[in-house]
Amino acid sequence: MNSSMIIEARGMNHWFGTGEARKQVLFDIDLSLPRGSFTVLMGPSGSGKTTVLTLLGCLRGVQDGSVQLMGHALKGATEAELTVLRQRLGFIFQSHNLHESLTALQNVVMGVQVRPGVADDLARRAAAQALGLVGLSDRLDYLPANLSGGQKQRVAVARALVGNPDMILADEPTAALDKDSAADVVDLLKRLGAARGTTTLLVTHDNRILDRADRILTLEDGRIVTTTDNP
Amino acid sequence: MSRILQWLFGRLPIGWLQLSHKRGRFMAALSGVAFANVLVFVQLGIMNSMATATLRPYAFFNADIMISAADANALAEGENVARQWMLRAFADPDVIAGTGLFIANAPLKRGDTDISLTTFGIDPSQPQFVAPQIAGNIASLQVQDVAILDRLARGISKEAAAAIRPQTPLSFETQNRTLTALNTFAGGGGFGGDGYMFVSNQTFLSLFASRSSAAPDHILLRLRPGADVATVAERLRILISDDSLRIRSYGDAAQEDLRYQQTKRPTGIIFGFGVLIGVLVGLVIVYQVLSADVADHLREYATFKAMGYGPRFFLGIVVEEALVLGVLGFLPGLVVGTGILTLMGKATTLPLAMTPGMAVTVFAGTVVFSVLSGVIATRRLAAADPADLF
């Protein structure tokens, strides 16, 4: 594997269902993401974007083809190995998925404590710093119920970034946000990711984001049909 | 609380934060656990009370070996025993004294008082067979129709009992005779009677005309100091060799009576089941609360799974919740249980009370069963698939 690539997938196929109901959803996906890149994965609903994201994010087992994540082969990896690999990734979901009974600070602390041996005060300092970077220093002790949609998504960004992950996987992170909040969140991801050398793979329908991407992949019917590199 | 749990688990106390976030539901859950604790406390209290009441009369006597009829499962049960067996027992060199013990229930009538007393007929010339509190006054029983009365008997007022002295005796009717109590001792009401009374064997035979001096209910034996009770009992079993008799150490007789009351008598079985039902109710309540909590937070758990948290982390959260519910539910259960047992004890004069042993046992049981419920509830976590988050 090329060490400058964080992900290299070759001939990745995937099926859902069994027996006669078995249906192929991904066909011969070849994909390489350079370290520190900001890649947007586009495509119509049902094209397989989310399946790609879950496979590269170690949330599903690879069925066919070769996928190397940070030098580790995902095909045949055990659940325990996938769990350890996931600790080096950051996830941002369409719905923020913050824990309702934890404050903003505590939600972000969870992003640090996933790695064993991190002292509590160190985790708190890192979480407060991450929330400061996303402009929420004055909302540390707020519960998610008392934050706006944009603020919640920024907490989710802070949670994804606080552990200094090697890669961020984001699924429609701006879908539920207004125009200004959406731009804020994407700019944050791009800026903070670039500063830390974090690779970002972002699934979206939002055309306003495209000009911020280093590379745009378009998926249709389970196949990558176009790859566009921005200058 | 958060700090204690954070120190204990070395991470954010997510279980506590989750439970306390919805206070109404949390209070309802704690009430449920407390209710189960109260159930167990009351049933255990009654069981303990039965044990205390069963063993209490054994403490009135001082014996090494007891000879009873084969069907004498309890002190006041079974056929009579021929007095001749006592004489046969004297053939053993270690047996130094023996006496017949007569037992029957007698009504006590005085004014509005109408109670039933377990009456012991003993030989007043042998004080070594009774406990010191009775031995001190046993000589008074040598006078016909004199009794030593239980001052804690149900239906006898404290004032009336406290006034009983040789100078100010209390007379009462029983079995169509008038007895006079010159002295008292501390007994107490039980499940089989309202209290106890000691009379001489001669007075006893006057009260119960159908009984014979040759056939007491039990024979009590004292052994030479230093003699091995089990060895002598075994020798007596061989010496007497009669299947209609049970020859046991006095301590074994008491314990067998207790086991009989707890495992063969309907009351003991019912109270035992009461404890079991209390435990099951608690188990179901904690399981339901934890299971519902896991179901409510599946999305959050799936998020944590996606972030790289492993099975031990989730087990830790649910066990933390189980411990919080178990410990915090125990405290109100202890307070209410103590109150109920105290009230029941006053109303029935049964020896009902919260004991440190009961509190520790129920606390340990609550924690263990709460954690067990938590471990079962974690099976629902399998439904938290992080791939479904996308």
Side-chain angles (χ1 to χ4, degrees), chain A residues 92 98 104-105 108 126-140 147-148 150-162 168 181 184-193 196:
Chain A
I92 304 171
L98 297 180
L105 183 74
V108 179
Q129 192 184 19
L131 282 167
L133 288 173
V134 298
L136 290 175
S137 292
D138 57 343
R139 297 286 190 275
L140 300 185
L147 296 172
S148 69
Q151 287 172 331
K152 286 178 199 169
Q153 203 57 296
R154 279 193 277 162
V155 175
V157 170
R159 182 178 63 185
L161 285 167
V162 70
I168 289 205
S181 298
D184 268 358
V185 166
V186 175
D187 284 341
L188 266 172
L189 271 175
K190 170 91 177 167
R191 181 164 49 85
L192 297 177
R196 294 162 182 238

Side-chain angles (χ1 to χ4, degrees), chain B residues 102-114:
Chain B
F102 296 85
I103 306 173
N105 272 354
L108 181 153
K109 289 180 184 167
R110 187 172 188 275
D112 294 336
T113 305
D114 187 356

Side-chain angles (χ1 to χ4, degrees), chain B residues 373-387:
Chain B
S373 299
V375 171
I376 298 169
T378 53
R379 290 190 310 173
R380 296 197 71 163
L381 277 171
D385 183 357

